[in-house]
Amino acid sequence: MTHTLRTLDPADEAAVHALWALCFDAPHLPALHALDPDRHRRTFVAVRGDTVDAVVCYVPRQLRDAHGRVERVGGIGNVATRPEARGQGLVRRLLALAAEAMTAESCAWSLLFTDTPGVYERSGWTGFRTSWTEGPLTVAGPPGPRFRIRAATPADAPRLAELHAGFNAARPLTAVRTANDWIHRVPAWYGPGAEWLIAEDNEGTAVGYTVTRHIGEAVEVRECAVAEAAPAALGELLAEVARRARAAGAAVGRAHLPEDPAVRAALPRFLAPDQVRERTQTVGMARPLLAPPEAIRATLQATGATHWHGDSF
């Protein structure tokens, strides 16, 4: 039977949710998808009879370019194909529809993250490298803490948002988060197992935070921010992350953090300096729409360029 390719009809939503449940261990996807009031025209499906065999959707996000300026970028996500319908070019054809729609919606370029780049390469997306640092956890840090470190609570959300905005005010590839992002998107992508720590100065003002997750015998720092006036707070946060991780049985740390003076100074409080290793991977992919390819490359290769996991699509 021939497939029909079209935008999402409200009556298709249950079938799309079932397809995501079949392909991903990500129960938060339907709720995040529902946040977009324009999700039906931004979601493309391949339908065979009453069955949704493939889906591709995009969401426009405000990302900073190489110069810190904000531009509209189409984030591709939630791409799924029913196992028995794979190999028929359905995703490739749906991506073509999505690229046309993103261009009409004035997206400068498109961004996605994947472990299976082949189909996207054939559709015009090009991979780029991202890196992280890993090694044994630092055993002990210098005494005499200057900041109070505690678990963040929901009441801290406004200050976390302020710290994030300040730390990333001109950082290439970072997303401009909305209040809705802080309520829904960011907590969903980091998940209920994430540990948020916040640092306060002597006046009780929040001056930094970290987001971590335990993955087997390792602890991963997935996000951080620190106030410009208190860069040393990041070192104390990372020292506390290492202490808690060792107490929980972890021996290895991974820092998914940007090239930044505050991060560079703080890392020895988290990872043993003489045993640090740099790792790279190519899971990010970009496709020009309205912007020239060289402008996109400049953003992706800019010093400090970071797309935080909590801003996933």
Side-chain angles (χ1 to χ4, degrees), residues 128-150:
F128 62 92
R129 288 189 173 188
T130 55
S131 63
W132 71 95
T133 306
E134 70 175 39
L137 293 169
T138 298
V139 174
R146 294 169 46 196
F147 303 93
R148 177 190 176 219
I149 311 296
R150 61 171 177 81

Side-chain angles (χ1 to χ4, degrees), residues 130-134 167-168 171-172 174 190 209-212 219-226 234-235 237-239 241 253-271 278-279 281 302-309:
T130 55
S131 63
W132 71 95
T133 306
E134 70 175 39
F167 189 61
N168 299 290
R171 191 176 306 285
T174 55
Y190 285 130
Y209 73 83
T210 55
V211 186
T212 60
V219 61
E220 297 190 348
V221 184
R222 303 308 302 265
E223 182 171 320
C224 76
V226 67
L234 185 55
L237 279 161
L238 292 183
V241 169
R254 301 187 187 109
H256 298 265
L257 303 177
E259 170 58 34
D260 183 277
V263 172
R264 193 162 50 248
L267 271 180
R269 305 287 302 274
F270 178 56
L271 301 175
E278 295 293 328
R279 303 295 195 193
Q281 60 182 353
T303 300
T306 300
H307 193 270
W308 301 109
H309 182 71

Side-chain angles (χ1 to χ4, degrees), residues 31-42:
L32 289 181
H33 186 243
L35 294 176
D36 182 7
D38 294 314
R39 63 188 178 279
H40 298 114
R41 67 177 179 85
R42 292 172 176 160

